[in-house]
Amino acid sequence: MRARCAFAASAATLALLVPQPAAAQQAAADLAARFGARPAVEDATLSPDGTRLAFIAPAKGQGGMLNTVVLAEGSDPKPVYAVDGNPQRLAECPWATAERLVCTIWGIVTDGERLYNATRLVALNRDGSNARMLSAKQSSEALGYDLHGGDIIDWLPDSETGHVLMTRVRVEETTTGRLAASKDRGLGVEKVDTVSLRSTMIERPEDYAREYITDGRGTIRIMGRVETRGDGYYSGLRPYFYRKPGSREWHPLSVRNGPQREGFDPYAVDAEQNVAYGFDKLDGRQALYKVALDGSASRTLVLARDGVDVDGLIRLGRHQRVVGASFTTDRRQIEYFDPTIRKLHAGLTKAIPDHPLVSIVDASVDEQKLLIFASADDRPGTWYLMDRTARSLRPLLETRPQLNGLTLAKVLSITYPAADGTMVPGYITLPPGKSGKNLPAIVLPHGGPSARDEWGFDWLSQYYAAMGYAVLQPNFRGSAGYGDAWLQTNGFQSWKTAIGDVSDAGKWLVAQGIADPKKLAIVGWSYGGYAALQSAVVDPALFKAVVAIAPVTDLTKLKDQYRRTTARVSAFDFIGAGPHITEGSPAQRAGEIKAPVLLFHGALDVNVDIAHSRFMADKLKAASVPHRLVSWDNLDHYLIDSEARAKMLRESEAFLQAAFAGKPIPAP
């Protein structure tokens, strides 16, 4: 008998491993706590033999807990390793072997003047024992400090058990008082035993090296460097070099101009085809190419789509082989090159039709066990285990169990006209059960500015929809994903176009009768916060309330963040110079804002210094504009703390209600 799809869901599904947290149960009536809670699963990986799962669950504050579980019916997760979030945080914990994992730990450090992100790699047994630092240890005589603890670039599944290829930064040491100080400096590659920590140098450190790419079989084929000018600042160019099979000699491959998105940008090497996969520009949009690594420089177009960038490379398994690519029209779409994986993915979408966004996240070495993540606009996401041999699929983990029992909102793709007639794409989320007419409404511009919103679950817009708001997320000009013409110069230098599109989103909501014009607000995070404030400057009568989270408020201050870094030139070029520095800075035009403003910001923000919000608050105070600044001493740009996010949601909604009613800003 012919099967109707590639596999079938198991009849007796596994009980979900992560129960609804007790705090969420107690706060069932508090939607801010339920939507603001961190995901119950922040990362998950499958062991090479496919018998175990590791996942990171949130702990108190910004802390994290690594759990492992045997993938058998009835098994419970076992917490094995924890960090407290002050400042250590868990980013990911993939398996090196069936017995050993490698966790990336990151945090924010300071030299007394500036904040920096720092990472370290730690290897540990599946029960949490024998934790060892994989990142290179620095001598007390080092002439600098390495903030980046390295990356695993090859898991060496065909080599010695427990060995990996990883990048390590070496810092030159002073010779004072020493006979044999190290002169190594820069980024190199070492083969490291994750148990004993014994290492072998594979690539000697290079001062300007920033990236190495292997063929997934233990051989380094590509190196990327940064180019600096005579004054030591980065030029924005990244030259790439490659090796022919069996050779150690480097040959020029391409030069990538990051700001212009020009030049071949390699991402992966296919050893069998002897090609590099990467992205380059085609007719003003990013497309996927493959370039031969045999000296011929033969170049083949693999995938392009009219109107949008091809921007995702899909890789699978321990060898990280390329199996497809992705792009976003109104939804994220995947084009699989591997016919077997294409058929498998089609079967998955049939087996779980209410979760149309399906990704293969991880695989066992033989690729017979697959870790699947599936979600939708009104489905936060579920992790599944697929057994290709048994032709079974069973759920393992829910991403946001605290939202169980709630009817979440559907998200619709829309377009609306800008003032010049350009049709701007976006997404609208309407409150469940509402008619979609005469509602309190929010325009929610995304961050970046070189980013975009996509169709799917979004906890921020879903919260406001649950509270009765219509939420419109515009992909204004300046957004990524639609090619150079849409990207413009960028959302700062081309701010008039970008902000015009954002304001026109609000006008469209009113014109369509969706928004009550007396209850229209704008809420944004990062660049979205900038857009919220600047929209209130240029259209002071349109929005009745402004919420800005970690916003850029002054372009001169934004430049100052990079003034003493090697990225100064590229950052200054991106922000630009001229009248827009003042005209496009909402803090410099605070007196033109008529709506009340609520600001949120973490003091450990590396992306946008909290000085932006403090400066904005001072300017609003001087202009007698009603406002309040809510800040946290120990949080960064993303406010990765359930209680903080719940506070932000709760207070922002109370603020909007007060503003619509013409009442003072509520006290904290």
Side-chain angles (χ1 to χ4, degrees), residues 16 73 146 152 222 232 246 290 293 301 358 377 414 465 494 569 611 625-626:
L16 293 171
E73 298 280 349
D146 169 31
I152 306 298
I222 293 175
K290 58 183 179 182
L293 302 179
L301 175 64
V358 178
D377 54 347
I414 57 97
S494 302
V569 172
V625 177

Side-chain angles (χ1 to χ4, degrees), residues 242 244 274 291-299:
Y242 76 97
K244 297 177 183 178
N274 192 30
V291 176
L293 302 179
D294 58 5
S296 69
S298 173
R299 177 177 167 123

